Amino acid sequence: MHQKILILDFGSQVTQLIARRVREAHVFCEVHPCDVTGEWVKSYAADGDLKGVILSGSHASVYEEATDKAPQAVFDLGVPVLGICYGMQTMAQQLGGKVEAGHTREFGSAQVRAHGHTKLLEGIQDSTNSEGHGVLDVWMSHGDKVTEMPPGFTLMASNPSCPIAGMADEARGFYAVQFHPEVTHTRKGQELLERFVLEICGARPDWIMGDYIAEAVEKIRELVGNEEVILGLSGGVDSSVAAALIHRAIGDQLTCVFVDHGLLRLNEGDMVMDMFVGKLHAKVIRVDASDQFLGHLSGVSDPEAKRKIIGREFVEVFKAEAARLTAAGESKNGAKWLAQGTIYPDVIESGGAKSKKAVTIKSHHNVGGLPEQLGLKLLEPLRELFKDEVRELGVALGLPADMVYRHPFPGPGLGVRILGAVNKEYADLLRRADAIFIEELRKTPYEGATLPGVNPRKPPKTWYDAVSQAFTVFLPVKSVGVMGDGRTYDYVVALRAVQTSDFMTADWAELPYSLLKTVSGRIINEVRGINRVTYDVSSKPPATIEWE
């Protein structure tokens, strides 16, 4: 059994980033809602494997009567506890301190001075101030603040806007910080969290993807038994790794259904079939449902409506295919399970975290598109994994690196990269423009410093390797242009490339002007119907990575 860290989720949009950082330290952790009972907490710790607890942030205020609190049992377990942002505030208030609304809100980059040389922060600093005190560059996101520490706590960090930015009761192993160590903007955040889980909690770093395969295979076999599974294979990293893992577990009990919904990238269908049928020898059925999808999407411009339609039609295709397999005698018992490549970020952005407290940003077709009356049980073997873990798992399963490290592609495909209503003309134009952009990224050598989201032990060779995600967006507007001696009135596309280590925050990639010039020239000259190319220079937040 793995030793573990329990993360209690109070509804922050970045709660799962805490889990990702803990797992980067090779320590297993799980996220559970903050309103679990004290008895549940005691039961969770009863096996002796629980080494520590982390309390997440939240958009709420702890002094409001209806606000969630941590179960008192958390503070009675005898294991270290780390409170982050709201987690610090609820720790303070529950243990006898005081929290009030702040006169100065802090949202963004900040600096805090370390005090007291506590075990959590000792030797961790980004710089020193004029008095020789250690200073940390951190990310703040709070309006309320602790104004009085509980008995037994000492000051651990401060700044002028937040005099109590960190506190500790080292006798009991309780630590709390007002800033967010889980986000990349806190430069020493990973080091701080590793200090907590590895040294203060003493957790064993044995969470490794290569070892995880055997555990996952055993769980899938136990769950599925001799029943059959149908999986929607998109060709993206997540569904591909899910397919490889399930195929490793149950072999021919898995049937992959590759749905061509008319919103795939250029030549993607042929590549998917070559990989999974030709190389992995998996059972794959290719279904051309492009007319069905495009027909239902006709005239629909609202992004949420498009996602729900695509999710609904996927369900219909799966149900029809499962029925056809059974009727044809190709499946002994018929498909009982629907497998999906859902991963943690899908759940987070859908407001679908286990706490159900996160504010919904957008629905994801994998999470929100399945109606209760589906008739198939849901198998999501990657649901608790982050993108980097999925990639590690794919490599460990023997999938080609080119496929595993391919940029993410949304489940709804080009349907959410065509703004507004979707039709075949727009999809065809976007497919060709996007293929040119990706081709040039793969061709252009990269020379420079290591970028966010890039493995420092595997320096990028091309700009495709150097950015975390790149794609083209179709804008349903026309602009005037000149080609030769003639006037054109054609469509506009936007190029998008970002760098990120977690896909929860992201910066736009500063691509070379020469690369952008080449891509723009090729698209305008080779894709008749497009006469203007723009580049998206928005970061996340406030924008999202995808446009819809």
Side-chain angles (χ1 to χ4, degrees), residues 24 89 222 351 357 376 420 437 449 494 503 522:
E24 284 179 347
Q89 294 168 11
E222 181 180 350
K357 298 177 185 297
L376 296 176
F437 185 29
F503 286 88
R522 283 196 59 193

Side-chain angles (χ1 to χ4, degrees), residues 275-535:
M275 171 61 64
F276 283 89
V277 177
K279 294 182 173 63
L280 296 183
H281 309 295
K283 290 198 307 186
V284 182
I285 296 171
R286 185 172 183 174
V287 180
D288 183 357
S290 55
D291 289 343
Q292 176 179 338
F293 278 83
L294 291 173
H296 284 286
L297 288 168
S298 178
V300 179
S301 59
D302 180 73
E304 282 294 286
K306 290 195 292 185
R307 286 177 177 272
K308 288 174 180 175
I309 287 170
I310 292 169
R312 183 193 71 209
E313 293 310 308
F314 264 110
V315 171
E316 293 304 316
V317 171
F318 291 146
K319 289 172 70 174
E321 194 55 41
R324 189 194 68 77
L325 288 171
T326 302
E330 297 176 29
S331 173
K332 294 179 181 178
N333 304 307
K336 305 295 185 191
W337 294 85
L338 172 64
Q340 292 191 147
T342 306
I343 65 172
Y344 254 152
D346 300 334
V347 179
I348 298 164
E349 291 207 335
S350 303
K354 292 178 181 178
S355 68
K356 303 298 181 186
K357 298 177 185 297
V359 177
T360 299
I361 303 299
K362 62 185 179 183
S363 66
H364 185 279
H365 88 283
N366 275 3
V367 178
L370 292 174
E372 294 180 1
Q373 68 272 24
L374 176 64
L376 296 176
K377 294 176 282 188
L378 195 56
L379 178 62
E380 296 176 313
L382 310 181
R383 186 180 177 87
E384 302 297 324
L385 301 184
F386 291 97
K387 180 68 73 173
D388 59 329
E389 293 178 316
V390 172
R391 295 189 195 280
E392 287 181 37
L393 182 60
V395 171
L397 286 165
L399 294 176
D402 285 349
M403 186 275 288
V404 171
Y405 286 96
R406 193 179 187 190
H407 291 176
F409 188 60
L414 301 182
V416 291
R417 291 180 178 173
I418 298 171
L419 301 195
V422 176
N423 62 43
K424 187 176 185 302
E425 178 195 4
Y426 295 172
D428 288 341
L429 290 171
L430 178 56
R431 251 188 289 274
R432 293 165 59 200
D434 186 68
I436 289 170
F437 185 29
I438 299 303
E439 181 183 337
E440 290 299 329
L441 286 170
R442 290 188 183 277
K443 284 167 52 177
T444 306
Y446 173 78
E447 295 179 0
T450 300
L451 300 169
V454 175
N455 185 344
R457 294 182 295 275
K458 187 183 178 185
K461 294 181 180 179
T462 70
W463 269 99
Y464 184 85
D465 303 323
V467 299
S468 306
Q469 189 171 5
F471 54 91
T472 309
V473 179
F474 182 87
L475 310 182
V477 294
K478 287 187 173 184
S479 69
V480 174
V482 177
M483 288 190 180
D485 294 324
R487 174 185 182 276
T488 63
Y489 190 56
D490 289 325
Y491 291 107
V492 181
V493 294
L495 308 179
R496 178 75 157 146
V498 298
Q499 294 158 350
T500 177
S501 60
D502 49 42
F503 286 88
M504 295 301 299
T505 61
D507 292 320
W508 62 275
E510 296 184 27
L511 299 180
Y513 290 153
S514 58
L515 172 57
L516 292 172
K517 183 178 181 180
T518 299
V519 173
S520 175
R522 283 196 59 193
I523 290 174
I524 291 171
N525 282 291
E526 297 177 28
V527 185
R528 180 166 295 186
I530 296 174
N531 71 353
R532 193 175 297 269
V533 177
T534 66
Y535 188 53

Side-chain angles (χ1 to χ4, degrees), residues 114-125:
H115 294 264
H117 303 291
T118 60
K119 196 178 295 184
L120 183 66
L121 295 183
E122 186 174 5
I124 298 178
Q125 63 185 47

Side-chain angles (χ1 to χ4, degrees), residues 209-214 216-217 220 237-249 276 280 381-382 385 389-400 403-404:
M209 283 299 100
D211 299 336
Y212 174 76
I213 293 174
V217 164
I220 292 168
V237 176
D238 303 333
S239 69
S240 297
V241 174
L245 180 60
I246 297 169
H247 187 258
R248 173 78 64 93
F276 283 89
L280 296 183
L382 310 181
L385 301 184
E389 293 178 316
V390 172
R391 295 189 195 280
E392 287 181 37
L393 182 60
V395 171
L397 286 165
L399 294 176
M403 186 275 288
V404 171

Side-chain angles (χ1 to χ4, degrees), residues 14-72:
V14 293
T15 295
Q16 306 302 339
L17 279 185
I18 304 172
R20 187 179 184 278
R21 303 302 176 214
V22 172
R23 291 184 188 179
E24 284 179 347
H26 299 294
V27 174
F28 180 68
C29 61
E30 289 185 329
V31 178
H32 288 275
C34 62
D35 55 4
V36 294
T37 65
E39 289 304 311
W40 182 93
V41 171
K42 293 175 185 176
S43 174
Y44 188 79
D47 60 8
D49 290 325
L50 181 64
K51 304 299 289 183
V53 179
I54 300 178
L55 310 177
S56 86
S58 172
H59 56 277
S61 296
V62 300
Y63 44 76
E64 295 175 354
E65 187 173 341
T67 304
D68 289 304
K69 307 294 189 292
Q72 180 58 38

